[in-house]
Amino acid sequence: MSMPLTSRFAAAGLACALMAGCAAPSHPDSRDPWEGFNRGVYNFNDTVDHLMIRPVATLYSTVVPDPVQSCVHNIFSNLGDVWGGINLMLQERGLDAFNMWGRFMLNTTMGLGGCLDIASRTGDPKIPSDFGTTLGVWGLHQGPYLVLPLLGPSSVRDGVGITADWFGNPLALNNIHNVGLRNSLYGLTFVDKRASLLGATNTIDQTALDPYSFVRDAYLQRRAAMVRGNKPNTDALPNYNDEDETAPPAAPSPSAAPAAPAK
């Protein structure tokens, strides 16, 4: 079967972006030895985002009432608490794991299936965790920074973790056998995540001298903080209020690790 026309355009665009970004940087970062390749993928992702993804997310954010958006976001977040708790238990953070599972039970019952985040309102914040974080706690180095097509910032370790997140999460959408329903939920999840980041990405575009470096530094700082968890003698703690783990977070506070360059 021949490749669909849209897939051909996407593949050609990615190839062009990679060739454009493969020049060696003048001041290489030791954490990012593949910077030329990564910048090519970043440029491809940014182009696709501006042409397709961001307009859809903006339309969703504009048309769908805020309470509905909040409900959708909370439901998907609630489903992730089970896998997050499993990873916290694997990290020997038993109390945090039971708190996460307690959040899931409370929000699923009293919160109407997770539509309302009752747990956060009662002082039980979400503690984001995934298998990439677990591997880091077990001592596996993150390896080189890596930008994945469409998925965005990652690392070699976190890329392996994504595979485990995909197949290990008992409440992952890929466990739904109804193809139409599953694909619709995939699309809704993707749009929901992108819509929740509109403000952050607009700020990055307007203020960062080099958006690529800003996203990279913020991502690596946050992932390092998630691996440290609540251990003492660290210079920054995880941002437990940031639920999205694959997208670029806000810059750390002045008391945390040094912030990425910005105007």
Side-chain angles (χ1 to χ4, degrees):
M1 181 181 296
S2 61
M3 182 182 296
L5 185 59
T6 54
S7 298
R8 294 180 184 178
F9 280 127
L14 178 57
C16 291
L18 291 178
M19 288 187 291
C22 281
S26 57
H27 301 287
D29 189 311
S30 60
R31 304 167 303 171
D32 189 8
W34 305 332
E35 182 172 345
F37 169 85
N38 285 332
R39 282 187 180 272
V41 179
Y42 178 88
N43 291 335
F44 168 77
N45 289 347
D46 191 56
T47 299
V48 173
D49 181 64
H50 277 83
L51 293 179
M52 299 175 56
I53 302 174
R54 186 177 301 194
V56 173
T58 301
L59 179 63
Y60 172 84
S61 181
T62 302
V63 173
V64 178
D66 288 345
V68 176
Q69 293 184 52
S70 178
C71 178
V72 170
H73 186 80
N74 289 340
I75 289 175
F76 287 132
S77 176
N78 185 56
L79 293 175
D81 283 352
V82 173
W83 181 240
I86 292 173
N87 279 282
L88 289 169
M89 184 63 73
L90 292 173
Q91 298 164 25
E92 299 184 350
R93 297 173 60 183
L95 179 59
D96 288 337
F98 283 112
N99 285 341
M100 284 288 282
W101 292 330
R103 276 180 51 88
F104 174 77
M105 294 299 297
L106 178 60
N107 287 338
T108 301
T109 54
M110 302 298 293
L112 305 177
C115 181
L116 304 175
D117 188 359
I118 303 296
S120 292
R121 299 179 185 178
T122 57
D124 188 8
K126 184 181 182 73
I127 306 175
S129 192
D130 53 34
F131 196 70
T133 306
T134 300
L135 292 175
V137 172
W138 288 350
L140 183 64
H141 190 269
Q142 69 181 10
Y145 178 67
L146 178 65
V147 180
L148 299 174
L150 301 182
L151 296 180
S154 184
S155 66
V156 172
R157 182 190 67 206
D158 293 342
V160 173
I162 289 174
T163 304
D165 294 337
W166 181 270
F167 292 105
N169 186 354
L171 298 182
L173 297 181
N174 59 291
N175 293 317
I176 299 176
H177 298 295
N178 185 313
V179 177
L181 174 61
R182 182 178 65 224
N183 291 342
S184 297
L185 291 175
Y186 277 142
L188 181 59
T189 304
F190 195 77
V191 172
D192 166 67
K193 287 185 176 180
R194 186 63 188 88
S196 68
L197 291 167
L198 285 173
T201 52
N202 288 338
T203 299
I204 292 173
D205 290 343
Q206 295 168 9
T207 63
L209 290 172
D210 180 7
Y212 170 84
S213 297
F214 185 99
V215 171
R216 177 192 62 198
D217 294 346
Y219 176 83
L220 293 177
Q221 288 171 13
R222 181 170 186 271
R223 294 300 292 182
M226 289 177 66
V227 171
R228 287 192 299 266
N230 57 2
K231 298 175 184 177
N233 300 323
T234 60
D235 59 357
L237 295 176
N239 178 5
Y240 288 161
N241 293 322
D242 187 353
E243 297 177 3
D244 195 318
E245 299 160 11
T246 60
S253 66
S255 61
K263 288 184 180 179

